[in-house]
Amino acid sequence: MNSKADYFARYEAIAAVSQRMLSAARRALWAELTDLQEEYRVLVDNLLEVDAGISLDEHDRLRKYDLVRQILADDAAIRDLVNPSVARLSAFFSARRPAHVLQELFGAR
């Protein structure tokens, strides 16, 4: 069984790669982003092997939550940078209630 230190080192490695991916996307370094995506995939695959079986106390769960939240925020920002039209659409939908969106898009009532 892996130690908590190893467990969190894996999450921190994923978070670090996601930050590097976001930096590459912000600088429009698409080849670097693609290379980092492969590194990210391998890290996530390896994490899945040890994710079960680790017992976490409340402090550990909060630490894991913060790391996962950071990784997901980086992922969302990367998607917005990679596909600006999706970001505009997301902003459009989040700024309006669904009924208003349907009415604006389709004239639905």
Side-chain angles (χ1 to χ4, degrees), residues 32-87:
E32 182 178 332
L33 178 60
T34 301
D35 292 342
L36 289 167
Q37 285 175 319
E38 179 59 23
E39 183 178 344
Y40 180 90
R41 186 193 61 76
V42 169
L43 288 168
V44 169
D45 287 348
N46 290 335
L47 177 69
L48 295 175
E49 296 172 4
V50 298
D51 202 33
I54 297 289
S55 179
L56 302 177
D57 61 24
E58 184 64 23
H59 173 75
D60 293 334
R61 282 191 295 276
L62 290 173
R63 181 177 174 195
K64 179 180 176 179
Y65 174 80
D66 287 341
L67 287 164
V68 170
R69 190 178 67 214
Q70 174 192 336
I71 292 164
L72 293 175
D74 290 347
D75 181 69
I78 291 164
R79 281 185 277 117
D80 288 348
L81 290 165
V82 170
N83 194 346
S85 62
V86 171

